[in-house]
Amino acid sequence: GGGRGRGGGDRAQVVTALWRLAKVHAPKLACPDVQGGGAVDANIRCYNLGVGYMEDVLGVLVRWEGNRIVSPCEMLCAEAWAAGARQSTTKDVFTHYLPAWINPEHAASAAWRALLEENVVALAGAAPRSAGRPTWDDAVLEVYPRALNGLLCDLFDDKVGKAAAIAQFEGFVNLWRTFRALLEAEAGLRGKLVRRVAAFAREEAARHKDATPDIGMVLAMFIAGTGLPGMPADAEFLHGYAEESFLRGVMWWRREDVDVKDPTAVFKATEIGRCLLMFQLLARDILLLGGAEGAAPAARAAAGVAAMDASNCTLPDRLEKLLAAWKAVRGKVAEGGWKAYFLQVGIPKPAHPSSAAWLADVVRRSETK
């Protein structure tokens, strides 16, 4: 449940007081808006009370769904959250609240930070199999990768309507921008993420399921940390990620009675996992690193951050670009098979005389893990 996030307890009362204070005294800062050329984007406002991001902190409702964090990605103001609003416009009930980044001015208030800390720690503490109240760093590294993965899985769903896709897209950009800001500002958090991702890329022991139960988490960390000092290069990380994904997949292939000696059958059985990796890399390149092609990763990430801030995390030109590119990539890989897949994700095809020989080696190695 929401616990302290619902307003109970002394700390929640302090959070409520902070947003009220910020609402009264917040300066009316001009926020660049590339969509309409005005100072403020009037379309970004609370669905419950109708206030905009210059009047109050805005954020999104979230909840755990299995090991995923899901959200309707509809903007809700802090005042409505503090008053007990827990339902989306479709009447789904949620338990926690994450402030949206929108732009640096919006995220600069004490109220925004207080709400962030209260809810990130509470949300991580409510995770399935949680060991109790986590540290701040551990909470951030639990919440944001899971939330980003959850939103990308929803965006990846062809059945999602356009309005919902736009909301999920903008929610994803807001959460990624917040995660990136925390990584850039907090050396301890940044170091923890870099060490975890680098170890996964370079040490087989760190890829074991005991050390990394959910490899989707480390993929989200890798994408969020693009260009940060000490991060492994794409080829190094993705080689380890793909290898571990296939090793873990053997158990599932057998459960589904997939003929592990048939490369075509395995290719079909791995469609969801392969597509999620391709889609996340494509999202990174178009949404997060777009606009500075050819530059170093750090410079590309800085350009992506600037574009997010300038558009209030809407990036209006990039959703259609992403979806069109995804349709083309998905079709190309479906037609081209394993060779096209490895080419798309940017790692060499396994050095075996045939796909069947490679899969036989994967099965053999999985039995020793």
Side-chain angles (χ1 to χ4, degrees), residues 19 52 66 106 131 146 170 263 276 279 297 323 326:
W19 72 251
H106 178 258
R146 291 203 185 276
E170 293 178 359
L276 284 172
F279 186 77
L323 296 179
W326 172 236

Side-chain angles (χ1 to χ4, degrees), residues 323-339:
L323 296 179
W326 172 236
K327 185 177 180 180
V329 164
R330 193 172 189 175
K332 180 176 67 176
V333 171
E335 184 178 341
W338 286 114
K339 182 178 180 180

Side-chain angles (χ1 to χ4, degrees), residues 165-334:
I166 292 172
Q168 288 161 356
F169 170 78
E170 293 178 359
F172 173 81
V173 175
N174 268 290
L175 292 178
W176 186 91
R177 180 66 184 94
T178 303
F179 192 20
R180 181 72 184 201
L182 293 172
L183 290 171
E184 291 179 347
E186 302 179 15
L189 175 67
R190 180 172 65 249
K192 199 164 192 175
L193 177 138
V194 169
R195 287 192 298 273
R196 189 175 298 182
V197 174
F200 181 90
R202 295 163 186 161
E203 303 168 17
E204 188 170 350
R207 295 197 290 273
H208 195 279
K209 199 156 188 175
D210 291 342
T212 306
D214 184 346
I215 60 173
M217 293 275 287
V218 80
L219 175 61
M221 293 181 196
F222 168 71
I223 289 174
T226 295
L228 294 177
M231 286 291 288
D234 279 15
E236 184 180 22
F237 174 83
L238 292 171
H239 173 76
Y241 180 87
E243 184 175 79
E244 184 64 22
S245 296
F246 290 124
L247 289 171
R248 295 189 187 192
V250 173
M251 177 183 70
W252 298 104
W253 306 341
R254 285 179 164 158
R255 283 185 182 179
E256 298 297 322
D257 293 324
V258 176
D259 183 356
V260 296
K261 297 179 180 179
D262 181 353
T264 302
V266 174
F267 186 77
K268 184 177 180 181
T270 57
E271 180 181 12
I272 293 177
R274 288 185 295 98
C275 285
L276 284 172
L277 174 59
M278 291 190 296
F279 186 77
Q280 292 205 49
L281 293 174
L282 201 63
R284 179 196 65 168
D285 291 345
I286 292 175
L287 308 183
L288 314 178
L289 303 182
E293 287 75 6
R300 293 191 68 192
V305 161
M308 290 175 194
D309 290 346
S311 70
N312 296 320
C313 283
T314 62
L315 294 176
D317 60 323
R318 297 193 187 177
L319 176 58
E320 291 298 329
K321 185 177 180 181
L322 170 64
L323 296 179
W326 172 236
K327 185 177 180 180
V329 164
R330 193 172 189 175
K332 180 176 67 176
V333 171

Side-chain angles (χ1 to χ4, degrees), residues 66-87:
N67 65 354
R68 297 171 60 209
I69 293 173
V70 298
S71 172
C73 295
E74 300 166 335
M75 289 294 174
L76 183 73
C77 66
E79 181 175 0
W81 165 256
R86 298 294 182 270
Q87 287 189 343

